[in-house]
Amino acid sequence: MNATYKQVTKARYIRQVSDLAREIFVQHYTKLTPKVAAQLAEAWQNEDLTDDEIHCGAVNYFLIYLGSEAVGYFALDLRPVGAVCISRLFLLEKARGRGIGRSVVAYAQKLAEGDGRSRLFLQVWAKDLKAEGFCKRCRFRPAGVEPVEVLPGVTLDIKTWEKLWR
């Protein structure tokens, strides 16, 4: 079954992104305690923040569906000059390994190319070896690491990956 995407614009879908984030962050950030991972989701993917990002016009969120079930989400940040940044790409554990991430990258690249952009960025947690492998398989190259204080006293190194095609 192929994944489909639905752009997030309404409050109920924004709520769905936040609900998915709480579940996915606990699954994904296994080197953090479940409590800290849940706090991270609340701080970085709450409904107000997501709504603000969408309505500023520079970030587009999409829910990812397999059939009628939402299994993840991604966000495309259109602010970088000459590039599109996949600033978030999260899938439920049961949806991983099905090519969904690669299809999101292909979709983002197609969008970037259609808009005359020649680069695609993807930001991931630097200690996430699965994400690093994914970036390499999608032909991204490392472009830098920046420590980000994600919660008071909790800093994560965020690694930016870059893909060029011109």
Side-chain angles (χ1 to χ4, degrees):
M1 180 181 303
N2 290 333
T4 57
Y5 317 129
K6 177 172 181 53
Q7 188 166 0
V8 175
T9 56
K10 296 181 181 176
R12 69 180 175 170
Y13 297 116
I14 291 170
R15 189 173 321 106
Q16 195 170 11
V17 166
S18 293
D19 291 345
L20 275 168
R22 282 190 291 277
E23 183 176 354
I24 293 169
F25 278 36
V26 171
Q27 291 177 354
H28 183 74
Y29 292 106
T30 57
K31 293 186 179 180
L32 303 174
T33 67
K35 181 180 177 181
V36 172
Q39 290 172 338
L40 187 62
E42 181 55 35
W44 287 85
Q45 203 64 79
N46 64 64
E47 291 176 43
D48 292 336
L49 175 67
T50 304
D51 187 58
D52 289 347
E53 285 185 320
I54 289 168
H55 288 96
C56 83
V59 180
N60 294 318
Y61 276 83
F62 297 84
L63 283 164
I64 302 168
Y65 289 90
L66 284 177
S68 61
E69 181 184 7
V71 295
Y73 66 95
F74 65 97
L76 300 178
D77 186 339
L78 308 175
R79 290 176 286 202
V81 175
V84 169
C85 179
I86 302 171
S87 61
R88 289 171 176 75
L89 173 53
F90 289 102
L91 293 169
L92 291 169
E93 189 67 41
K94 67 182 178 183
R96 295 183 190 161
R98 297 182 178 203
I100 296 169
R102 287 188 303 277
S103 71
V104 168
V105 169
Y107 176 79
Q109 184 173 341
K110 186 176 179 179
L111 177 73
E113 288 173 345
D115 201 25
R117 300 170 191 232
S118 60
R119 293 181 300 164
L120 188 61
F121 293 115
L122 178 60
Q123 296 175 320
V124 302
W125 183 23
K127 291 187 179 183
D128 187 339
L129 298 178
K130 287 181 182 179
E132 182 170 321
F134 170 75
C135 291
K136 289 177 180 178
R137 286 190 303 279
C138 290
R139 307 216 185 282
F140 283 85
R141 65 180 187 194
V145 177
E146 179 181 346
V148 176
E149 186 174 31
V150 295
L151 292 170
V154 178
T155 300
L156 297 179
D157 288 334
I158 303 299
K159 190 170 192 175
T160 299
W161 293 78
E162 176 182 49
K163 184 174 187 179
L164 301 163
W165 52 85
R166 284 192 218 168

